[in-house]
Amino acid sequence: MEHFVVSARKYRPQTFKDVVGQQAITNTLLNAIENNHLAQALLFTGPRGVGKTTCARILAKMINSDGNEKEDEDFAFNIFELDAASNNSVDDIRNLTDQVRIPPQVGKYKVYIIDEVHMLSQAAFNAFLKTLEEPPKHCIFILATTEKHKIIPTILSRCQIFDFKRITVKDAKEYLKFIAQEQGIEAEDDALHIIAQKADGAMRDALSIFDRVVSFSGDKLTRHAVTENLNVLDYETYFTSTDLILGNKIPELLVQFNDTLSKGFDGHHYIAGLASHFRDLMVCQNELTIELLEVGDDIKIKYKEQARKAPYDFLLKGIELANDCDLKFKSSKNQRLLVELTLMQLASITFDGEKKNSKHYIIPASYFNKKGITPIPVTRPKIEEKSAIVAEPEPIKSKAPKTETSNPYQQNVVKIDLNSDSKRTSGLSLKSIRAKREHLIKQIEVVIDPNDLPTEQFTPEAFYAAWQAYTDLLNANGEKIMASILEMDKPKLKGTEIHMTFPNESLKIELERAQFPLMEHLKKTLRNFDLSLHINVNEQVAKQYAFSPHEKYEKLKEKNPNIELLRITFGLDI
């Protein structure tokens, strides 16, 4: 077996032009060399695998070149690399400072590259300070680190700092395409894009992944092979999931999630990827942000097509639900159920099913006007004390004659010919009345004009009495919390508007949830359906409540002044 050289070493850049994604830094170093403006202490900092050590070696080679050396000259005698992770003691730094005094035998400069410099001990840093600040003219120090914050400020102040950035997905993909062509490998654009994304900004990681996938798939690199080897979810999974969510197909969505888990993928990975997919769809909906979508050209077309189907409100709510599931995943005891519940909630966002109307006693006439239906007005008959049957409307003229009867309970009942061959029941029985009522509900739509609802005048005293009666009813039923909320502020009447003020948003939300039975009680008791509740939040109101013992005592004294006499008589303390 022949010796194999990994791509990260085989294609390591030999000049600044070959360095990927660090043009600002390489241009600065080139200008510094040309203008003889290079500092004697440099600090290269940034994430792993972005070219810090590579740039240090290229710089060391360039400053020693005079144009007369051989092409394969590497100036090995002039370049010293020290791994500070294993040589971090004071003695190691002292040995280094002793070597610094000796001038180079070949070339102009001796270059010391200290990698992972943040691993040096505090004493080693202090021993290095003087030499770093005033090194010999023939010596240049290049420090490299991934954690600049761990280096003491006195070292940072003596160095010229270069911050290396992460390699973009686009730059990493282009470099991988170049290497694939060099090796004669046929690679799909989407496959290289997935490798670049998986590398997370590190070129060395991208090359390592590339070598691994090539070993798996051979000379033809496909997207399917990459996703299978790297154990990442394919774009198609999220496209299918989103289509099922938009179609409100909950069973199929849960089956697809189960198939994803059976392939060895983690539920946390799936839901986090779904949130990212929603983000990418939202990015596609605006021409200004579409450049933020880091995918291949073929996949970008699919994103644009699905973005047209997904409303903006749906994507915003979907990201919120998926992100909330992501945050709760690690602390959940039943993680699969958590993801499944989130998927069901996502599939219900765009569900246009039957919704309950809070004002069930009114069907606005405008609804029927839009449908092209002429509403039939219904007059409310007067209910006598002896009447035990609710009056039925007469919107349909029956061909059957009315049966004369002396029964007073039948005076407002309309008899309808059902045109059926089935056996008819007697119009005098309760069963027949119930059958006719059910038939009317099925055959006609009854419209109650809001103007026919009672809007009688009432006094403030009657209103407060009705309010207190509802509070007493809550106490009697054991709903102490809601009763105390209603007693916190005295309602203020402005015509038919009821205004209440609370010190925080939580109390407002609690009352808003329980306002419907309250308003129903008030409207029926006062016979005025124009009443409306308005809840405000004023944090200054909180100051009115008593918290300290003295404040509580003053409140008690306002309710019963005799408590002061009791305190004085017995010499009590507050």
Side-chain angles (χ1 to χ4, degrees), residues 46-52 146 167 201-205:
R48 69 183 190 281
V50 294
K52 299 185 297 296
T146 56
I167 311 296
M203 197 68 238
R204 183 171 59 231
D205 292 356

Side-chain angles (χ1 to χ4, degrees), residues 312-327:
Y312 180 83
D313 295 339
F314 160 77
L315 294 175
L316 197 63
K317 184 66 176 177
I319 292 174
E320 181 182 352
L321 289 173
N323 186 56
D324 185 58
C325 177
D326 186 12
L327 295 174

